Amino acid sequence: GVDAYTRLEGNPAQDMTGNIYFNDTGNHQIVILDESGDYIGSMGEKWQPGNDISHFDCPQGVAISPVNQDIYVVDTCNQRIQVFDDNRLYKATLGVTDVTGTDNLHFDYPSGVVIDALGNIYVADTGNYRVQKCSLNNPGYNCTTFVGEPGVFDSAFDHLYPKAIAID
């Protein structure tokens, strides 16, 4: 729950019922509060980092899909995005758990995620200096570089170090 050790970080996400999802990065969980700020639950195991489907390791981003209310958690230190349905049941993984890489199947310390009205998933792939545009397929997923260039970070317009992402 929410206590003196809870450190809510990053941008929160809100589902259609008004529940608010916060990253509790240092405690390896997502904290869920109702619209009044009362604790109603969490995702992940508090104080227990891990890489299976019920654990996170330093989650830094959370988003709710406007299409189907799926919950997307940026599981940064596990190099992946975990997808859960609106009942918080595991659905899919984007990225390869615990493996960094520069191809379109891997992330390198992702830090943000957002989903547009069409269901496209945008990931701030921080360590790869790019934003990936992804889609879920049954089975699997596809990602392509939307902006940025893996391995290149300088002052050019399209060379970036994305830490968060938002859409309007």
Side-chain angles (χ1 to χ4, degrees):
V2 178
D3 55 32
Y5 300 104
T6 300
R7 299 178 313 196
L8 305 179
E9 301 178 12
N11 294 329
Q14 187 171 29
D15 66 20
M16 62 189 274
T17 64
N19 295 327
I20 304 169
Y21 296 69
F22 293 92
N23 305 300
D24 187 6
T25 303
N27 290 320
H28 312 290
Q29 66 178 347
I30 302 298
V31 173
I32 307 164
L33 307 177
D34 68 15
E35 57 191 11
S36 300
D38 294 324
Y39 175 82
I40 59 169
S42 63
M43 299 171 67
E45 298 293 329
K46 187 173 186 175
W47 300 323
Q48 296 179 23
N51 62 10
D52 60 22
I53 63 171
S54 64
H55 289 84
F56 303 120
D57 192 358
C58 61
Q60 291 187 6
V62 62
I64 308 293
S65 171
V67 175
N68 57 11
Q69 295 295 292
D70 281 352
I71 304 159
Y72 289 74
V73 176
V74 181
D75 193 10
T76 301
C77 295
N78 280 325
Q79 315 303 331
R80 65 187 182 184
I81 309 299
Q82 293 289 79
V83 185
F84 301 86
D85 68 15
D86 60 348
N87 292 313
R88 297 184 237 151
L89 299 174
Y90 172 79
K91 197 170 180 180
T93 297
L94 285 76
V96 179
T97 301
D98 288 332
V99 180
T100 62
T102 59
D103 64 22
N104 288 329
L105 295 177
H106 292 82
F107 300 111
D108 189 356
Y109 292 93
S111 60
V113 65
V114 68
I115 299 86
D116 70 15
L118 299 174
N120 296 307
I121 306 153
Y122 296 88
V123 178
D125 189 8
T126 307
N128 279 325
Y129 310 111
R130 67 183 174 188
V131 172
Q132 289 280 73
K133 181 179 179 181
C134 305
S135 61
L136 284 174
N137 307 311
N138 279 331
Y141 64 96
N142 292 340
C143 294
T144 58
T145 297
F146 182 70
V147 65
E149 186 176 345
V152 179
F153 176 61
D154 58 28
S155 62
F157 174 76
D158 61 346
H159 294 163
L160 46 116
Y161 187 73
K163 294 292 288 177
I165 189 164
I167 57 174
D168 67 8

